[in-house]
Amino acid sequence: MTESPTPKLAPATALHRAGQSIRELLPRWSEWSTSLRAPGADLLAGLIVALVALPLALGFGISTGLGAAAGLTTAVIAGAVAAVFGGSRFQVSGPTGAMTVVLVPIVHEFGGSGVLAVGLIAGIVLLILAFAGVGRAVRFMPAPVIEGFTAGIAVVIALQQVPAALGIADAQGDKVWRSAADAVVKFVDHPSILTPATALVVAFVILVGGRSLPKVPISLVAVAIVTLAAKLLHLDMARIGEIPSGIAAPTLNFLHLEDLTSLLAPALAVAALAALESLLSATAADSMGVGTRHNPDRELFGQGLANIVAPLFGGVPATGAIARTAVNVRSGARSRLAALTHAVILAAIVYLGSTLVAEIPLAALAGVLLATTVRMVETASIIAIARATRADTAVMGATFLVTVALDLVTAVAVGVAFAAILALRAIAKSAKIEQVPLDDEGHQSEEHELLRQHIVAYRIDGALFFAAAHRFLLELAEVSDVHVVILRMSRVTAIDATGAIVLKDAIDKLERRHITVLISGLKPEHSRPLQALGVFTTSDSERRHFFEDTPHAIEHARTLLEERSLGRSTTKDETPSVNTIPT
């Protein structure tokens, strides 16, 4: 009778929790009310980001093989959807270089329709990850990894601008540093001062003017002046050039059910990259902003919706873009209205201002991004981490180098793995076993002597796990000339299967030498691996006991010694009731 209400309550509770989870992922009016009352800063930041995003969107679209229109459509559609539904108020989403690298082989194998289908499936996967709460895992990302990643991305962005800053349109290389090196070689063969000087002047003006005139849209002013000068003086500089004049109508014609199975694996790879890049970009934006913290699960939700909607209009898979996000923050953005404005302005440019924007020199935009990379790097944080420990410095350095030399996903994987290995090493070194004096003030002097001669107590501190367990076995195996060993385990913080097996082996070795082992202070949560791996089972069961605390263990040891001195052995029925396994 008592169980009958449960089936009625459980579904209601589950539905309530599901509804609460969905509400947490949806936009709130409070996110927009303040910015709409004073939208100036966000509108200006959105304009600057749109000018920076335009050539990137066009370039990344062309790089994937789907054309400039696909890149621009992605920036407009995915940028707007992610701005409204994403979890970061500063995040700017669109096509990115890292995603382009993943998409190129998909285009070769499955064609343009395959890329659109992959983006749609990846969006669905991102929604599932959002509802599963996977986004919160980014909170466990070590700070040295994030700082190394951010600094590495800054260098990658700077290297990406080298060809445009030098006026080299045909730089070759599968990595940004190779492309930059090739651009330098070609520039040396045919040097021209105008283009690099323009990029450096724009960057210098933005860096200096941004400090002295923080309220002036210095980036926009610099780009406008350079564009006007290039037009009036007929300067020979590469321009953005002709851009698409519209966005295609939504359709699902690219989706073919018979191909879904073969597209699942690349879709999972795209979803993983989109999640990782977006969450790290949002985390980097938090470090650049003041008093802001993104919602990781909602960020995955927004990116999922963006990647579902964008392919319907012909857009490629999108992620949060660290370069555009950094420009957004540094341009004075205060809310997600800036990212939405960027998407709206790009749409307006497509339909209204394509001719005007086509005249902007690429060198001017390269200067904007070069200045952005300088402002992205938090020098104080890097120096602080470098001074903290050698391990943190190594993790940060490894993440930085792999980000620049290889790619984002590999860099994060290497950084996290390196950090985990060093953390395990530190934990293993901190774990220790040491002999401690017996705490037994209640006994008489002759009993103290008896205890001192025949009982030894060891205290285990820290984690008893695979990286440190074998050292315990070696130390315990050396114990001799005693009748009882007390293992004080109240300070054990964790036990894994390897630790439990090694502990069992050590106890077995001692008991084969007729040494009784008593365990005191074991926490209930640590008893499960010990019990599962047979630490509390032995053919000579009276030799192994568990006690709630050390005084009870010492009392039992004293009883054993007294009985042994009288020539009697303890039977199983005489074992105190406290030697049960904690649960």
Side-chain angles (χ1 to χ4, degrees):
M1 296 296 291
T2 57
E3 297 180 355
S4 58
T6 304
K8 297 180 181 179
L9 292 177
T13 303
L15 288 175
H16 175 73
R17 290 178 178 176
Q20 190 174 23
S21 299
I22 293 175
R23 286 193 298 272
E24 291 176 354
L25 298 177
L26 295 177
R28 303 174 181 83
W29 171 247
S30 59
E31 299 169 345
W32 299 89
S33 57
T34 303
S35 60
L36 292 177
R37 286 195 296 267
D42 287 319
L43 294 177
L44 184 58
L47 175 60
I48 295 172
V49 175
L51 291 176
V52 172
L54 181 60
L56 296 177
L58 297 173
F60 291 142
I62 294 171
S63 298
T64 60
L66 271 70
L72 192 55
T73 298
T74 305
V76 173
I77 303 299
V81 174
V84 174
F85 292 95
S88 169
R89 61 175 176 166
F90 294 138
Q91 183 88 288
V92 178
S93 299
T96 64
M99 184 62 74
T100 299
V101 174
V102 176
L103 294 180
V104 169
I106 298 177
V107 174
H108 291 324
E109 185 174 356
F110 301 102
S113 61
V115 170
L116 301 182
V118 162
L120 180 63
I121 299 171
I124 296 173
V125 172
L126 289 172
L127 290 184
I128 295 173
L129 295 178
F131 285 113
V134 175
R136 284 168 289 187
V138 78
R139 297 175 182 174
F140 301 104
M141 192 73 67
V145 174
I146 295 175
E147 291 296 339
F149 159 79
T150 304
I153 286 295
V155 172
V156 169
I157 295 171
L159 291 174
Q160 286 175 341
Q161 309 317 307
V162 171
L166 297 179
I168 305 299
D170 58 344
Q172 303 295 321
D174 57 343
K175 302 294 182 184
V176 291
W177 58 271
R178 289 178 178 170
S179 178
D182 185 59
V184 171
V185 172
K186 292 179 178 179
F187 176 79
V188 171
D189 291 338
H190 303 283
S192 174
I193 193 63
L194 178 60
T195 302
T198 300
L200 292 177
V201 168
V202 170
F204 178 79
V205 169
I206 292 173
L207 292 173
V208 175
R211 291 184 178 182
S212 57
L213 301 171
K215 295 184 179 181
V216 176
I218 196 68
S219 299
L220 182 59
V221 171
V223 170
I225 291 175
V226 170
T227 302
L228 184 61
K231 181 70 174 177
L232 295 177
L233 300 176
H234 304 286
L235 299 178
D236 184 17
M237 300 175 65
R239 311 295 209 274
I240 288 179
E242 185 179 354
I243 63 173
S245 58
I247 296 176
T251 179
L252 275 173
N253 292 337
F254 61 85
L255 195 60
H256 305 289
L257 298 181
E258 63 273 14
D259 296 334
L260 293 183
T261 303
S262 58
L263 293 174
L264 184 58
L268 291 176
V270 168
L273 176 60
L276 184 60
E277 189 171 9
S278 298
L279 292 175
L280 288 179
S281 176
T283 302
D286 288 346
S287 65
M288 289 184 283
V290 178
T292 180
R293 184 65 59 187
H294 74 283
N295 182 327
D297 292 326
R298 185 176 166 188
E299 181 61 28
L300 293 183
F301 180 75
Q303 295 296 335
L305 289 180
N307 280 283
I308 289 175
V309 177
L312 303 181
F313 294 86
V316 298
T319 73
I322 183 63
R324 278 150 275 178
T325 300
V327 172
N328 193 34
V329 176
R330 298 308 186 192
S331 298
R334 297 179 180 177
S335 72
R336 59 186 67 238
L337 177 61
L340 180 60
T341 300
H342 132 273
V344 173
I345 290 175
L346 287 178
I349 290 172
V350 171
Y351 291 102
L352 303 175
S354 58
T355 304
L356 181 63
V357 173
E359 295 297 327
I360 297 176
L362 293 177
L365 296 178
V368 173
L369 285 175
L370 288 174
T372 299
T373 60
V374 175
R375 299 165 72 177
M376 275 180 61
V377 179
E378 298 290 340
T379 308
S381 298
I382 292 177
I383 294 176
I385 291 176
R387 290 177 176 176
T389 64
R390 292 181 179 178
D392 289 334
T393 304
V395 170
M396 183 171 62
T399 306
F400 170 81
L401 291 175
V402 178
T403 300
V404 175
L406 299 178
D407 58 76
L408 168 65
V409 176
T410 304
V412 174
V414 169
V416 172
F418 201 6
I421 292 172
L422 293 176
L424 288 175
R425 178 174 175 268
I427 294 173
K429 291 179 66 176
S430 65
K432 60 182 179 179
I433 179 171
E434 60 179 344
Q435 185 176 347
V436 293
L438 294 174
D439 182 15
D440 187 43
E441 300 179 356
H443 296 144
Q444 299 177 358
S445 57
E446 60 272 15
E447 292 175 329
H448 274 296
E449 182 65 19
L450 182 65
L451 296 174
R452 186 183 65 81
Q453 291 181 356
H454 301 290
I455 300 177
V456 63
Y458 283 91
R459 185 179 64 215
I460 302 177
D461 293 341
L464 186 59
F465 72 128
F466 68 93
H470 291 283
R471 181 159 45 89
F472 295 147
L473 173 61
L474 293 176
E475 294 189 33
L476 281 176
E478 297 299 322
V479 176
S480 60
D481 298 329
V482 296
H483 295 311
V484 180
V485 170
I486 299 176
L487 297 181
R488 302 176 61 174
M489 302 183 64
S490 61
R491 296 189 182 183
V492 173
T493 57
I495 301 177
D496 70 352
T498 303
I501 292 173
V502 169
L503 182 62
K504 181 179 184 298
D505 290 342
I507 293 175
D508 288 340
K509 289 179 182 294
L510 293 173
E511 291 182 344
R512 282 196 294 268
R513 292 158 49 195
H514 304 289
I515 297 175
T516 302
V517 177
L518 308 180
I519 299 175
S520 71
L522 183 67
K523 297 176 183 178
E525 61 267 25
H526 296 156
S527 65
R528 182 176 179 179
L530 300 187
Q531 185 176 8
L533 293 167
V535 176
F536 294 108
T537 59
T538 177
S539 58
D540 194 7
S541 59
E542 77 270 9
R543 292 184 178 276
R544 191 178 308 183
H545 309 291
F546 167 81
F547 296 87
E548 294 181 357
D549 51 44
T550 303
H552 283 94
I554 294 176
E555 178 65 27
H556 185 64
R558 185 178 66 84
T559 301
L560 289 176
L561 292 179
E562 289 176 349
E563 292 174 345
R564 187 168 299 177
S565 65
L566 295 175
R568 297 190 301 112
S569 61
T570 306
T571 64
K572 184 175 181 179
D573 293 338
E574 292 174 327
T575 303
S577 60
V578 292
N579 66 337
T580 57
I581 303 171
T583 57

